[in-house]
Amino acid sequence: MGLSAQMSTRNISRFWEWGRKIICVGRNYAEHAKELKNAVPTEPVLFLKPPSAYVREGSPIVLPFYSSNLHHEVELGVVIGKGGAAIPQSAAMEHVAGYALCLDMTARDVQDECKSKGLPWTLAKAFDTSCPVSEFIPKERVPEPGNVKLWLKVNSQLRQSGCTSDMIFSIPYLVSYISDFITLEEGDLILTGTPKGVSAVQEQDELQAGIDGLVTMTFTVERKDH
Ligand SMILES: CC(=O)CC(=O)C(=O)O
Ligand SMILES: [Mg+2]
């Protein structure tokens, strides 16, 4: 199939297949910043995951071989439907196609070491399967994205329960802020940060996460021979 034919069959509801950027916001919930003893930020903290981080239900989250403290972080993902740079906050929601429930899997021991050495978080955050995602949720189904309840259970035990109303920086603010530095493209995903309750997962754990009334998803954690 030629490139133009491939482009014409691309569907935003399978955004994870597009090979676009995953832009992550850190410390966007004050209670989470505090539980990790980080300062509450006055500007968004940004980092990236590559598209190879995506994993879908039916495939496992693979424990990175170099970590012994893998954490779950449940987050609302914002799927960009129209690209742009220097997008004003007033127009930001016109660039949003929809949402997805996402996990920002984090090798916390590796992140702590990187932080102490002043090094980037890439190996802590961007490894293969570090971004499990749900099905695409069209924006029409989420009339109030700033008031969405997220939860995550490990082996049926509730670990995280939060609401996007507690985000420090709103979705329009984040879209506008990010687009001042990084041009947004159709198919990009923004992870909006995690509420409190992050904790470690082990091999064979079952992670179930949901957005009230919209979506649930289930993943298992596996170790692979290295
Ligand atoms: C400290 C972190 O890992 C930041 C992060 O990813 C978050 O969601 O907050
Ligand atoms: Mg996160």
Side-chain angles (χ1 to χ4, degrees), residues 73 75 104 125:
E73 295 189 359
E75 310 200 2
D104 169 17
K125 291 283 197 179

Tab-separated table of all heavy atoms in Angstrom, residues 73 75 104 125, ligand 2:
chain	number	residue	atom	x	y	z
A	73	GLU	N	0.775	4.462	37.430
A	73	GLU	CA	0.242	5.828	37.543
A	73	GLU	C	-0.937	5.901	36.579
A	73	GLU	O	-0.734	5.868	35.359
A	73	GLU	CB	1.299	6.871	37.120
A	73	GLU	CG	2.529	6.925	38.013
A	73	GLU	CD	3.446	8.114	37.684
A	73	GLU	OE1	3.131	8.882	36.737
A	73	GLU	OE2	4.474	8.250	38.361
A	75	GLU	N	-3.810	7.788	34.531
A	75	GLU	CA	-3.885	9.171	34.035
A	75	GLU	C	-4.945	9.305	32.941
A	75	GLU	O	-5.199	8.349	32.194
A	75	GLU	CB	-2.514	9.604	33.459
A	75	GLU	CG	-1.380	9.303	34.428
A	75	GLU	CD	-0.103	10.084	34.196
A	75	GLU	OE1	-0.061	10.926	33.276
A	75	GLU	OE2	0.853	9.830	34.956
A	104	ASP	N	0.884	5.521	33.132
A	104	ASP	CA	2.271	5.961	32.960
A	104	ASP	C	3.111	5.051	33.848
A	104	ASP	O	3.391	5.382	35.009
A	104	ASP	CB	2.370	7.444	33.361
A	104	ASP	CG	3.799	7.933	33.479
A	104	ASP	OD1	4.709	7.260	32.962
A	104	ASP	OD2	3.998	9.003	34.109
A	125	LYS	N	10.820	5.896	32.316
A	125	LYS	CA	9.473	6.251	31.857
A	125	LYS	C	9.150	5.796	30.441
A	125	LYS	O	7.982	5.758	30.068
A	125	LYS	CB	9.342	7.790	31.871
A	125	LYS	CG	9.313	8.442	33.240
A	125	LYS	CD	7.962	8.265	33.880
A	125	LYS	CE	7.725	9.223	35.045
A	125	LYS	NZ	6.378	9.037	35.635
B	2	MG	MG	2.813	10.239	35.291
